Amino acid sequence: MTITTDLPAAPAARRSADLERLLARDPGAFRVLTGDRPTGALHLGHYFGTLQNRVRLQDLGVDVFVLVADYQVLTDRDVADLLTEHVEGLLLDYLAIGIDPARSTVFSHSAVPALNQLMLPFLSLVSVAELGRNPTVKDEIAHSRQAAVSGLMYTYPVHQAADILFCKGNLVPVGQDQLPHLEITRTIARRFNERYGHVFPEPDALLSAAPLLLGTDATKMSKSRGNSVTLSATADETARLIKGATTDAERRITYEPDRRPGVSSLVLLAALCLDRDPYDVAEEIGDGGSSALKRTVTEAVNARMAPIRARRAEYAQDMGYVRAVLRAGNERANAVADATLREVREAMGTPG
Ligand code: TRP
């Protein structure tokens, strides 16, 4: 059977609702692992889709690990460009939105050897056919600009299993596209435990009700397309980007995502920033047309982002501190990864 992208969603959504109840009751029972590839600046889609949720989980009292997935940058490109700049940008974004290094662990792939070593036994637990069936990888291969598909592109979901299982993460907040990867992680954990004895949890996906924000060109919002308002943008840059956003010729502003994707995405963005209902926001702008809509969106985004941007600018004054946050996170991640690798070696009976 081939997996279609929308079929597994219903049970996953039901499970997520149960998990939210468990989280509220016993946050200490969970360890969350999430992460981002350092390929560019984080934008409002990330903020409303995942970043806010991480801070919420952290503030609930969950132990949160945030991964700067630097090795995963190489899945769909030959070299990781501007890596230092992108990693430092991510760190600034995390700190600015409220990730607290005293409570959460921020770390990077390449600094944690024992995490990467888990990939070897894990690769032995999945078949080439299973890897080839992954719909998200297939989609990424179809859209890749690379001439050849690398071994890493094919196997990175197994690496992602190592990301999650090295710290025995049992909860992974994800969007729909990551569900196949989480399924592979669960399979690997189950097979490892069956073969060698219990070491790993089978982590759950926590689907967030991520709003579908489009880019300013009314296509998918993307780090690399220049169609998104980044957390680090200035108020002027924000205004310029929104001014150029795609709308349509109808004067009256409404919220109809299917029929009017460009206009509706702007309405939604304003609504998210204002914590309001998009239908009410559209109604209020009414016959004001695109220019009133864009004015509302620009003001809403800049007001909502102002404190985040101010904190970001403050942290940027002290990059020594920012780098120390990553160093401390890497140290903690290494201690955790070393302990897990020791357990794995014992379970597998590897001497030495
Ligand atoms: N693939 C994720 C993304 O591109 C990043 C990531 C890497 C991740 N390892 C992970 C997410 C483990 C969750 C769990 O956004």
Side-chain angles (χ1 to χ4, degrees):
M1 194 189 79
T2 50
I3 304 165
T4 62
T5 43
D6 46 353
L7 266 185
R14 266 198 304 279
R15 177 80 184 129
S16 293
D18 291 341
L19 286 164
E20 285 294 348
R21 279 188 287 277
L22 291 170
L23 272 166
R25 208 177 315 141
D26 189 10
F30 292 91
R31 178 170 278 176
V32 160
L33 182 292
T34 71
D36 303 286
R37 301 195 306 156
T39 52
L42 295 178
H43 53 59
L44 295 173
H46 297 117
Y47 182 70
F48 289 110
T50 62
L51 299 175
Q52 254 193 336
N53 196 36
R54 293 178 195 171
V55 177
R56 179 183 73 95
L57 291 166
Q58 166 194 277
D59 292 349
L60 268 178
V62 177
D63 189 12
V64 177
F65 278 66
V66 184
L67 165 65
V68 176
D70 51 3
Y71 276 146
Q72 205 180 95
V73 173
L74 297 170
T75 49
D76 65 352
R77 63 202 81 197
D78 299 332
V79 283
D81 276 329
L82 305 173
L83 203 52
T84 307
E85 187 185 318
H86 289 155
V87 170
E88 290 181 355
L90 280 187
L91 296 171
L92 286 171
D93 288 338
Y94 295 157
L95 292 168
I97 61 160
I99 294 288
D100 173 5
R103 290 179 286 162
S104 296
T105 305
V106 182
F107 70 104
S108 58
H109 269 148
S110 60
V112 186
L115 179 164
N116 293 292
Q117 190 173 332
L118 289 178
M119 180 144 174
L120 288 168
F122 285 3
L123 276 169
S124 77
L125 296 167
V126 287
S127 70
V128 170
E130 282 172 313
L131 292 174
R133 276 201 294 271
N134 187 305
T136 298
V137 172
K138 276 196 200 163
D139 190 61
E140 282 165 353
I141 290 172
H143 290 100
S144 161
R145 284 157 296 179
Q146 282 186 306
V149 178
S150 74
L152 185 59
M153 170 63 100
Y154 218 63
T155 55
Y156 87 83
V158 179
H159 194 224
Q160 210 161 297
D163 296 343
I164 297 165
L165 295 177
F166 95 92
C167 66
K168 303 192 180 179
N170 58 1
L171 192 63
V172 187
V174 287
Q176 291 281 359
D177 66 318
Q178 299 288 306
L179 285 178
H181 299 348
L182 207 74
E183 220 29 67
I184 290 187
T185 301
R186 293 169 59 84
T187 300
I188 288 172
R190 190 170 56 248
R191 288 183 188 160
F192 187 97
N193 294 342
E194 279 164 11
R195 205 166 288 183
Y196 302 111
H198 188 87
V199 173
F200 295 111
E202 275 182 54
D204 271 301
L206 183 67
L207 277 177
S208 57
L212 186 65
L213 281 175
L214 298 174
T216 47
D217 54 359
T219 71
K220 185 176 167 353
M221 196 183 281
S222 154
K223 278 182 197 157
S224 54
R225 288 190 201 175
N227 65 356
S228 51
V229 176
T230 61
L231 302 189
S232 54
T234 63
D236 285 348
E237 285 163 354
T238 302
R240 211 173 319 129
L241 210 73
I242 292 171
K243 194 157 186 240
T246 304
T247 51
D248 58 36
E250 280 177 55
R251 174 129 198 112
R252 190 169 176 74
I253 298 304
T254 54
Y255 183 61
E256 298 172 80
D258 291 336
R259 194 176 71 80
R260 305 180 70 185
V263 163
S264 300
S265 183
L266 286 171
V267 170
L268 178 60
L269 179 54
L272 287 166
C273 290
L274 298 165
D275 284 319
R276 290 186 55 191
D277 181 84
Y279 292 97
D280 292 345
V281 171
E283 178 76 32
E284 204 168 281
I285 299 168
D287 288 324
S290 292
S291 62
L293 171 62
K294 288 179 177 179
R295 209 175 321 119
T296 302
V297 176
T298 302
E299 279 166 17
V301 170
N302 282 339
R304 179 73 180 245
M305 287 298 122
I308 292 174
R309 288 169 174 167
R311 272 197 300 275
R312 198 181 189 284
E314 258 172 60
Y315 283 116
Q317 295 293 313
D318 192 358
M319 291 310 291
Y321 169 76
V322 173
R323 287 182 206 113
V325 165
L326 183 61
R327 261 200 312 280
N330 284 338
E331 230 170 86
R332 167 142 197 255
N334 268 302
V336 171
D338 289 345
T340 302
L341 185 60
R342 263 197 305 278
E343 274 184 71
V344 162
R345 288 166 55 92
E346 262 166 41
M348 294 177 73
T350 8

